[in-house]
């Protein structure tokens, strides 16, 4: 299906002629077989489908979602992008994703509103300052722009921040990462969906996978609420529901699902350019292009599939935000929400093949998987097309847990999504 090209000229033409825009993608009947079935229509499933089609010419692909595209974490996250991780494997991987994000609007012909803002991770103790220095050195060794700055620099970058010593947790310094920023999350989902569909990928919403067929150690297809599909390759990109989907194929994952909450204020004039994270205070904040402040925290302290917001979260959040920026005291929260996070023990993802032939996983994205969507899609597509695991994700295999080769990304991924 050819897609309409979005451009200033097209906008003018449509405005003058008054014709409605064609649908960004259309629905299809479920085919009895596909070359590749992807379970999960979030950024990971959609990006994988897009790069399969664009980079490898594999277009007989179905993306199945039990709800609507982007209805999982991909439409609920706070859209923070950065590559200032702690392990060299993580830094290289997320940096490739940032590179893809920078060119994504042009690549997809869809304005994803990528905005490079700079990213500050505050240190309120000697121990966290030490971790920041460690991260800065690992980042620099991989060519990623990060440096440790002092409280005066923090005040200069964010004048509204209370950098005095009167507070309970004074700011001792911060890791400053200029390439970090934000993006419009649903635009990214819609952009990938539209671009994948225009290359022949079928997007099936309201289509829940209820069973996965396995015969002689190989995947044979999936059973869905709309019928059966035969497929030699099935990819689990179901994030918060990843273990439920993996169980259907008899694959056990070291993943637990936790809710993560976020909240947004009424819009105000732009005053906060930088993304701010405080691990000690369990809070982070950024300002959208529309002027709202977006707040987040660490995951709820219990495993659950619930996506309800809680008053405890809002109370804790408000207290912590005001310790950082007391001048926000009069701002009103507009709404709060929650999503599900598939947490691994080492805060790094699980990507690649499993013991069931043809059944691949792209899971364990925890609180940090939105920024990884483009590179995860690119590398998962390459894994399928070549039958080999790309070097960039070779450390993220499921076998690392049995082999005791965990990665240790917690110091850079617990609150700072
Ligand atoms: C509040 C919050 C804030 C966050 N902030 C950030 C951030 O700032 N930066 C960042 O990088 N990351 C962030 N994240 C994490 C990020 O949102 C996720 O890691 C990422 O969106 C995962 O994408 P995905 O495509 O793997 O999964 P999802 O977007 O969750 O998609 C999985 C899909 O699978 C579908 N599904 C599940 N089971 C089945 C089934 N049986 N059959 C068919 N379909 C099924 C679901 O309906 C869902 O749509 C945040 C998450 C939350 C909740």
């Amino acid at each position: 299906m050819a897609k309409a090209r979005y451009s200033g000229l097209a906008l003018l033409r449509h405005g003058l002629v008054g014709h409605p825009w064609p649908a960004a993608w259309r629905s299809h009947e479920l085919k009895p077989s596909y070359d590749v079935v992807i379970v999960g229509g979030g950024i990971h499933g959609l990006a994988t489908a897009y790069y399969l089609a664009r980079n490898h010419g594999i277009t007989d692909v179905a993306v199945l979602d039990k709800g609507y595209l982007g209805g999982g974490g991909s439409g609920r996250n706070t859209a923070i992008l950065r590559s200032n991780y702690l392990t060299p494997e993580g830094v290289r991987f997320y940096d490739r994703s940032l590179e893809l994000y920078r060119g994504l609007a042009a690549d997809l012909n869809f304005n994803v509103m990528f905005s490079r803002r700079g990213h500050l991770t505050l240190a309120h103790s000697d121990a966290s300052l030490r971790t920041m220095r460690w991260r800065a050195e690992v980042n620099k060794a991989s060519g990623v722009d990060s440096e440790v700055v002092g409280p005066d620099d923090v005040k200069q970058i964010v004048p509204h921040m209370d950098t005095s010593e009167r507070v309970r947790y004074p700011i001792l310094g911060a890791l400053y990462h200029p390439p970090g920023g934000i993006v419009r999350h649903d635009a990214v989902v819609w952009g990938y969906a539209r671009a994948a569909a225009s290359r022949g990928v079928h997007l099936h919403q309201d289509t829940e996978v209820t069973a996965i067929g396995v015969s002689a150690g190989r995947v044979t297809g999936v059973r869905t609420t709309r019928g059966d599909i035969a497929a030699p390759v099935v990819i689990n990109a179901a994030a918060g529901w990843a273990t439920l989907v993996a169980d259907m194929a008899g694959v056990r994952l070291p993943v637990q699902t936790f809710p993560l909450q976020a909240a947004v204020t009424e819009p105000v004039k732009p005053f906060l350019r930088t993304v701010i994270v405080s691990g000690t205070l369990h809070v982070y904040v950024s300002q959208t292009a529309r002027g709202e402040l977006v707040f987040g925290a660490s995951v709820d302290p219990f495993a659950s599939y619930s996506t309800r917001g809680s008053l405890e979260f809002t109370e804790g959040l408000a207290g912590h935000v005001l310790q950082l920026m007391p001048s926000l005291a009069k701002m009103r929260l507009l709404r709060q929400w929650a999503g599900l996070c598939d947490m691994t023990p080492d805060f790094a993802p699980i990507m690649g093949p499993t013991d069931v032939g043809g059944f691949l996983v792209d899971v364990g994205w925890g609180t940090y998987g939105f920024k990884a969507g483009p590179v995860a899609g690119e590398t998962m597509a390459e894994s399928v097309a070549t039958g080999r695991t790309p070097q960039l994700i070779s450390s993220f295999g499921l076998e690392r847990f049995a082999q005791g080769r965990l990665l240790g990304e917690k110091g850079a991924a617990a609150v700072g999504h």
Side-chain angles (χ1 to χ4, degrees), residues 232-392:
V233 176
V234 174
I235 301 175
N236 177 354
W241 301 265
T243 53
L244 305 178
V245 172
D247 278 352
M248 296 177 198
V251 171
R252 290 194 66 204
L253 296 175
V255 167
Q256 266 194 309
T257 292
F258 289 81
L260 175 64
Q261 301 190 47
V264 69
T265 66
E266 59 191 343
V268 291
K269 275 188 182 171
F271 72 92
L272 180 63
R273 189 162 168 75
T274 320
V275 179
I276 300 162
V277 180
S278 166
T280 304
L281 293 173
H282 296 278
V283 72
Y284 62 91
V285 53
S286 68
Q287 188 171 23
T288 68
R290 220 174 11 208
E292 305 134 325
L293 293 185
V294 178
F295 300 123
S298 37
V299 291
D300 285 354
F302 47 83
S304 164
Y305 290 97
S306 162
T307 51
R308 291 176 72 111
S310 70
L311 188 58
E312 287 85 350
F313 163 78
T314 333
E315 280 178 345
L317 182 81
H320 291 150
V321 168
L322 293 184
Q323 286 188 46
L324 292 179
M325 289 188 270
S327 55
L328 300 187
K330 293 263 166 63
M331 283 195 74
R332 281 173 294 201
L333 278 189
L334 273 193
R335 60 181 186 277
Q336 69 184 104
W337 65 94
L340 301 181
C341 294
D342 41 335
M343 307 297 297
T344 58
D346 59 359
F347 288 68
I350 309 177
M351 300 179 73
T354 65
D355 284 344
V356 174
F359 181 66
L360 285 80
V361 291
D362 172 25
V363 302
W365 290 110
T367 63
Y368 31 81
F370 196 77
K371 71 179 70 59
V375 68
E378 186 184 53
T379 48
M380 287 304 292
E382 188 181 335
S383 304
V384 171
T386 63
R388 289 186 304 274
T389 303
Q391 180 63 31
L392 204 54

Side-chain angles (χ1 to χ4, degrees), residues 39-44 64-67 72-74 76-80 207-209 237-239 241 245 248 260-262 284 339 341 365-371 417:
V39 189
I43 184 174
H44 284 260
L64 313 180
D65 200 289
K66 68 188 174 103
S74 298
R76 296 162 187 265
N77 66 83
T78 44
I80 294 173
T207 309
E208 180 167 1
V209 173
W241 301 265
V245 172
M248 296 177 198
L260 175 64
Q261 301 190 47
Y284 62 91
C341 294
W365 290 110
T367 63
Y368 31 81
F370 196 77
K371 71 179 70 59
H417 304 332

Side-chain angles (χ1 to χ4, degrees), residues 11 45 100 155 164 168 219 224 229-230 280 297 335 352 363 377 379-380:
L11 188 64
L100 288 169
K155 186 78 184 169
S164 72
R168 184 165 176 203
V219 78
T224 80
I229 304 172
T280 304
R335 60 181 186 277
V363 302
T379 48
M380 287 304 292

Side-chain angles (χ1 to χ4, degrees), residues 87-153:
T87 65
E89 295 86 347
V91 175
R92 281 195 292 271
F93 176 75
Y94 290 103
D95 201 45
R96 171 64 185 156
S97 220
L98 263 191
E99 192 182 335
L100 288 169
Y101 263 118
R102 281 193 284 270
L104 200 59
D107 187 12
L108 300 180
N109 179 227
F110 204 102
N111 185 3
V112 296
M113 296 173 72
F114 171 75
S115 175
R116 184 184 149 123
R117 298 289 191 88
H119 183 284
L120 266 181
T121 316
L122 304 175
H124 304 266
S125 69
D126 288 341
S128 58
L129 203 52
R130 183 177 154 272
T131 308
M132 300 311 158
R133 290 205 183 95
W134 178 1
R135 280 169 68 180
E137 292 312 311
V138 175
N139 286 195
K140 282 180 204 156
S142 297
V144 168
D145 188 3
S146 292
E147 60 173 327
V148 174
V149 297
D152 292 347
D153 303 301

Side-chain angles (χ1 to χ4, degrees), residues 394-409:
S394 57
S395 316
F396 301 148
L398 177 57
E399 67 286 348
R400 77 178 184 273
F401 296 97
Q403 296 169 353
R405 291 188 294 103
L406 275 68
L407 279 160
E409 197 63 86

